[in-house]
Amino acid sequence: MNSTLLITARKDIYLYLQDNFEHIYYINSNSFKCSLKKFIKYIKNNNFKQVIVEDYFNNFDYLLNLLLENKTKVKLIWTKGVGTLNDHLELDNLSNVIELYESKKISALGFTDRSMYLLYKDKGCSLIKYTVKDTNIENFEEKNNDNVSVIGNGYNWQSNVYNQLSAIKMNNYDLYNLNDINIVRRYLKFWNITTYSNYTKLNCDTFRDNLDNISLCSCVEFSNLYDLYCIDSYNHGVPVVLGNNTLFFKGTKLEDKVIVKSDDSINEIADKMKYCLNNRESIIKEYNSLKKDYDVESKESIEGFLSI
């Protein structure tokens, strides 16, 4: 629907979101009221009839009231997983969203995390499946390295970074580090993990630029904060070891091959890494066949949400 605008604060995956929505507007998660008023002018000038907001941000209630005064339909997609609710602020934010949905101020509510969806599906919520369409795996290329990259943030406990780094150490793999921070650097030095690094801020462009140097990614996280990076990695022929709350491959042949049963088990993560590196080509071929059906499901879930 050309009259729909997605509002997001996730600037790092802006390119991925363009594969799912035609019109996107980036907004700072700590936006001032004056900037939100300018946004309303943008809505009016471009004649958008409905706005989809990702998650809850500072001054969201103020923006919501402005949109409703403008007779703009407002829907919200919650992109965070159950693990984030350990943070009392996130729990309060979600509680506010549910109240706004139940009071009909938000006309539709969707979740990208299946566990979150199952918690609230009785309220009439939707399951949203985002995708990344840039597929470049027609000609599989062997790689002459065992470089493994961990997708996540070392400052964020939900990323489960240190269990994954320990699994890399157990297998004596080399780490291709994309997101250098002091605490990770100290950990790598202490355990003497061989590291190749391209220190940069992780986003769609930098991730793709470095995939040629990586044979395997690991994203065994406690919440689905980096799910679209995982799709992009598979799209470019680099398998990803996934946590047991992943959004992908449940009930498929890949489930036992790439998904760990216990995110806390370093041994299991290490075993999955070894299997994936030894079977990269067959995993990518299986993924390629599954991706076609997933893209159809993604399109249907988003179109269904837009039509509510």
Side-chain angles (χ1 to χ4, degrees):
M1 292 177 67
N2 293 332
S3 60
T4 299
L5 177 69
L6 176 76
I7 306 175
T8 181
R10 299 196 293 171
K11 194 173 185 178
D12 64 311
I13 61 165
Y14 195 89
L15 290 178
Y16 297 158
L17 294 175
Q18 287 179 336
D19 286 339
N20 298 274
F21 296 94
E22 183 174 353
H23 301 290
I24 303 174
Y25 190 96
Y26 172 75
I27 195 167
N28 192 298
S29 58
N30 291 305
S31 294
F32 294 107
K33 291 182 178 180
C34 59
S35 64
L36 295 178
K37 288 181 178 179
K38 293 179 181 178
F39 171 69
I40 295 300
K41 290 182 179 179
Y42 176 82
I43 294 287
K44 292 179 178 179
N45 291 339
N46 290 276
N47 199 31
F48 289 113
K49 302 302 182 184
Q50 70 173 342
V51 167
I52 298 177
V53 183
E54 277 197 337
D55 302 313
Y56 188 94
F57 52 83
N58 188 36
N59 283 323
F60 172 79
D61 294 84
Y62 178 78
L63 175 63
L64 176 62
N65 289 330
L66 291 177
L67 289 168
L68 294 177
E69 288 174 7
N70 191 52
K71 301 188 184 306
T72 305
K73 181 182 288 188
V74 182
K75 302 174 182 179
L76 189 140
I77 297 176
W78 187 269
T79 68
K80 302 171 185 178
V82 176
T84 62
L85 301 182
N86 183 65
D87 183 335
H88 69 87
L89 180 59
E90 292 292 350
L91 183 59
D92 289 344
N93 288 343
L94 180 59
S95 297
N96 288 338
V97 167
I98 297 299
E99 288 180 9
L100 292 169
Y101 174 61
E102 291 178 335
S103 66
K104 309 297 183 182
K105 289 187 175 182
I106 295 175
S107 60
L109 176 60
F111 294 96
T112 58
D113 184 276
R114 179 173 290 276
S115 297
M116 293 292 295
Y117 164 70
L118 292 175
L119 285 173
Y120 291 103
K121 70 174 184 177
D122 291 343
K123 295 182 179 293
C125 301
S126 304
L127 177 63
I128 308 298
K129 296 184 176 182
Y130 285 169
T131 191
V132 179
K133 296 178 182 177
D134 182 16
T135 302
N136 185 31
I137 53 178
E138 294 300 324
N139 298 313
F140 182 83
E141 295 183 3
E142 289 291 348
K143 299 191 178 183
N144 297 318
N145 64 65
D146 286 336
N147 291 344
V148 180
S149 183
V150 176
I151 304 173
N153 184 339
Y155 285 136
N156 186 340
W157 67 268
Q158 297 160 30
S159 292
N160 195 29
V161 166
Y162 303 101
N163 279 342
Q164 296 171 83
L165 293 177
S166 299
I168 289 173
K169 175 63 177 178
M170 287 180 65
N171 285 334
N172 289 317
Y173 296 145
D174 296 335
L175 173 71
Y176 195 87
N177 193 14
L178 292 175
N179 196 359
D180 180 59
I181 55 177
N182 287 335
I183 189 171
V184 171
R185 197 183 305 125
R186 291 197 301 269
Y187 189 91
L188 298 174
K189 184 177 180 179
F190 180 82
W191 289 110
N192 196 28
I193 298 175
T194 302
T195 307
Y196 302 96
S197 300
N198 185 3
Y199 299 150
T200 184
K201 188 171 183 179
L202 185 62
N203 58 46
C204 305
D205 288 324
T206 59
F207 185 63
R208 287 174 175 174
D209 288 344
N210 285 282
L211 280 173
D212 286 343
N213 302 307
I214 300 168
S215 294
L216 175 70
C217 286
S218 182
C219 193
V220 185
E221 55 177 336
F222 296 125
S223 189
N224 294 302
L225 302 176
Y226 296 90
D227 49 320
L228 295 183
Y229 285 104
C230 297
I231 296 181
D232 200 22
S233 183
Y234 272 101
N235 282 354
H236 289 82
V238 180
V240 186
V241 178
L242 299 166
N244 61 19
N245 68 334
T246 181
L247 310 181
F248 315 116
F249 310 144
K250 293 294 182 69
T252 73
K253 294 178 181 179
L254 283 183
E255 180 171 2
D256 291 334
K257 298 176 181 179
V258 304
I259 299 175
V260 301
K261 292 182 172 62
S262 175
D263 297 341
D264 269 333
S265 174
I266 297 172
N267 289 328
E268 187 182 6
I269 296 172
D271 289 344
K272 281 288 189 289
M273 287 179 176
K274 185 179 296 183
Y275 178 86
C276 288
L277 276 173
N278 291 335
N279 297 275
R280 285 181 60 241
E281 184 172 6
S282 63
I283 289 172
I284 292 302
K285 285 183 177 179
E286 181 67 27
Y287 165 79
N288 200 21
S289 64
L290 293 172
K291 181 62 162 46
K292 296 175 183 177
D293 291 335
Y294 179 83
D295 282 345
V296 173
E297 294 172 3
S298 171
K299 183 179 180 181
E300 290 176 348
S301 73
I302 293 173
E303 288 181 348
F305 190 70
L306 295 181
S307 66
I308 295 175

